[in-house]
Amino acid sequence: MPETGYYNSKKSDDLCEEICGENSRSPLSTRLKCALRGFDIKALLLLFIGVPLLVLFIHIHGQKITYFLRPLWDSPPKPFNVIPHYYHPNVSMETQCRLHGWRLRESPRRVFDAVLFSNEIDILAVRWNELSPYVSEFVLLESNSTFTGTVKPLFFSENRAQFAFAESRLTYGTVGGRFVKGENPFVEESYQRVALDQLIKIAGIKDDDLLIMSDVDEIPSGHTIDLLRWCDGIPEKLHLQLRNYLYSFEFHLDDKSWRAAVHQYRAGKTRYAHFRQTDDLLADSGWHCSFCFRHISDFIFKMKAYSHVDRVRFGYFLNPSRIQEVICNGADLFDMFPEEYTFQEIIAKLGPIPKSHSAVNLPSHLLQNADQYKYLLPGSGNCRRDSG
């Protein structure tokens, strides 16, 4: 019997060799089965189905995974020295200065408000009307290029007549884009900020004047700027804590916006920047309304134009009907996890932003022109946007 078993096994091997051999004329399917006789079918399924699915999953959700795991590879920045902010319209400026540990000046400082402009016409109107009573000179620079190197119209130039109230105090400039293909968008952004720095000097700024450094949608409250221009003893550099809104003032995200800053200008030292430059942060100093546009086309334009264009991972992100649904739901345009440093904060912010029903302490220009800016205010149906 053992000899018979050995003989049969050998015959089986010889048969497979005959079928799978180089000169075999057996059908391809038969030869393939024979060739795979030594492989585990589960391992093959993992190799040919599981691995491609894993690669596809990482391609689709890799950025989300990175953001969710951020607490493992990144640590939070140094905490700010948060300065309490005291204000009431019926409290004198002398008392407000004293409450902050500062002292009242004999006359207010001049204030220069400098911004890089893209296409935020409505938000610029809200900003300049809020700050107009306190600003000595508005400085605005726009380029014919987006940060991503795409040609763009000079939107402010086309709508300049709308801002006639600021014309006598306006220093306006343009800068040509460099249109370098494949370049990191932050390089073009930095180039334009350097050009803005030069325009500020052309505007006639002098030592001890206040310079507001913030994006158009980072709006300091008027009373905050009034306080800083009237008080002596304020920090030379001061970041402003802003209430963070998304799409409109209906979706209050958090109070963590801090990039806006006010500097006492020093020739040869002060440089226009949009990053952290000091540890001092004045609490509750205004509003940051990100992606607060009237038209769906404006959303699409910014998504393709700003420095974080890498977040547009798929073409369908730019679908108008999808964008409209995202706006009304308070969801994320880029289908990303929150940018936080602890798992607790990430989990707490998962899902849509809760709707706010408060329109208290918003920029006065919004409420005075509520019919015009209905899309920026809380209320049923206000989230609907025109296509543009």
Side-chain angles (χ1 to χ4, degrees):
M1 292 295 294
E3 290 183 1
T4 303
Y6 173 77
Y7 175 77
N8 289 341
S9 175
K10 184 176 180 180
K11 281 191 66 177
S12 177
D13 289 342
D14 290 342
L15 179 61
C16 280
E17 181 64 30
E18 181 180 342
I19 293 174
C20 299
E22 292 183 3
N23 298 323
S24 170
R25 296 182 180 179
S26 302
L28 179 61
S29 58
T30 304
R31 296 169 61 194
L32 183 61
K33 290 178 182 179
C34 187
L36 296 177
R37 67 186 185 278
F39 290 91
D40 185 347
I41 189 64
K42 293 181 179 180
L44 290 173
L45 290 174
L46 179 63
L47 179 63
F48 292 108
I49 299 178
V51 171
L53 286 176
L54 178 62
V55 172
L56 179 63
F57 179 83
I58 292 174
H59 174 66
I60 297 175
H61 300 291
Q63 204 169 30
K64 293 176 69 174
I65 295 170
T66 301
Y67 271 67
F68 184 75
L69 297 179
R70 185 176 189 176
L72 298 180
W73 55 265
D74 198 6
S75 56
K78 177 183 176 182
F80 279 101
N81 170 38
V82 182
I83 300 172
H85 190 170
Y86 302 91
Y87 170 73
H88 191 279
N90 295 332
V91 175
S92 70
M93 187 58 70
E94 182 178 10
T95 300
Q96 290 183 53
C97 289
R98 179 172 51 80
L99 286 170
H100 291 85
W102 306 328
R103 58 189 180 278
L104 186 68
R105 294 168 54 91
E106 291 185 0
S107 61
R109 296 180 182 85
R110 295 196 305 167
V111 178
F112 286 67
D113 179 39
V115 294
L116 278 179
F117 185 77
S118 179
N119 67 326
E120 312 95 331
I121 291 293
D122 281 358
I123 289 297
L124 183 68
V126 173
R127 178 193 184 95
W128 279 8
N129 277 279
E130 175 71 19
L131 297 177
S132 184
Y134 317 105
V135 168
S136 307
E137 191 74 12
F138 294 104
V139 183
L140 184 145
L141 179 74
E142 70 174 330
S143 174
N144 64 342
S145 169
T146 67
F147 292 159
T148 54
T150 302
V151 176
K152 65 175 278 294
L154 298 177
F155 289 109
F156 177 81
S157 180
E158 295 175 358
N159 293 273
R160 189 166 179 169
Q162 180 179 333
F163 301 93
F165 67 92
E167 190 65 41
S168 63
R169 295 173 286 156
L170 173 61
T171 300
Y172 170 65
T174 61
V175 60
R178 296 171 307 115
F179 302 106
V180 180
K181 292 185 178 180
E183 185 177 63
N184 188 320
F186 285 99
V187 177
E188 177 66 28
E189 179 179 347
S190 178
Y191 166 74
Q192 293 186 23
R193 292 193 189 279
V194 171
L196 178 57
D197 201 50
Q198 297 303 311
L199 189 63
I200 292 167
K201 296 175 183 177
I202 294 172
I205 196 168
K206 296 179 180 178
D207 282 1
D208 202 43
D209 290 340
L210 292 185
L211 174 61
I212 303 174
M213 301 183 188
S214 68
D215 286 348
V216 173
D217 59 6
E218 298 167 337
I219 308 171
S221 59
H223 68 79
T224 296
I225 301 305
D226 199 27
L227 174 75
L228 297 177
R229 73 183 187 132
W230 269 108
C231 298
D232 263 338
I234 66 173
E236 186 171 306
K237 300 176 182 179
L238 182 64
H239 282 289
L240 305 180
Q241 181 191 50
L242 308 179
R243 301 180 198 171
N244 213 4
Y245 294 88
L246 193 61
Y247 311 139
S248 72
F249 292 92
E250 184 171 37
F251 296 103
H252 180 202
L253 183 60
D254 55 38
D255 297 318
K256 294 184 177 182
S257 179
W258 55 264
R259 292 183 182 275
V262 176
H263 288 219
Q264 294 180 58
Y265 189 79
R266 297 288 180 265
K269 291 179 59 179
T270 304
R271 293 288 182 271
Y272 193 96
H274 197 238
F275 51 79
R276 182 166 175 171
Q277 302 178 73
T278 180
D279 292 335
D280 292 322
L281 179 71
L282 184 62
D284 198 8
S285 298
W287 314 269
H288 181 188
C289 199
S290 185
F291 280 92
C292 291
F293 295 116
R294 181 184 296 273
H295 302 121
I296 296 294
S297 59
D298 295 327
F299 284 83
I300 296 173
F301 176 85
K302 180 170 180 177
M303 291 170 74
K304 296 192 294 183
Y306 84 142
S307 298
H308 295 288
V309 67
D310 60 300
R311 296 178 178 178
V312 186
R313 305 191 305 281
F314 307 102
Y316 78 88
F317 279 11
L318 303 175
N319 183 285
S321 60
R322 174 191 176 270
I323 292 173
Q324 179 61 80
E325 183 179 0
V326 165
I327 295 168
C328 286
N329 289 336
D332 191 280
L333 277 172
F334 306 100
D335 191 26
M336 295 174 64
F337 283 125
E339 298 182 68
E340 298 294 348
Y341 293 94
T342 69
F343 289 116
Q344 182 178 4
E345 290 175 309
I346 292 174
I347 293 171
K349 282 189 174 182
L350 289 178
I353 306 168
K355 291 186 177 182
S356 168
H357 301 286
S358 173
V360 177
N361 294 325
L362 295 183
S364 60
H365 185 68
L366 283 177
L367 302 184
Q368 290 167 351
N369 300 274
D371 290 340
Q372 180 182 353
Y373 297 110
K374 184 178 180 181
Y375 75 97
L376 288 176
L377 296 171
S380 178
N382 287 356
C383 66
R384 305 300 303 179
R385 297 296 201 272
D386 295 332
S387 67

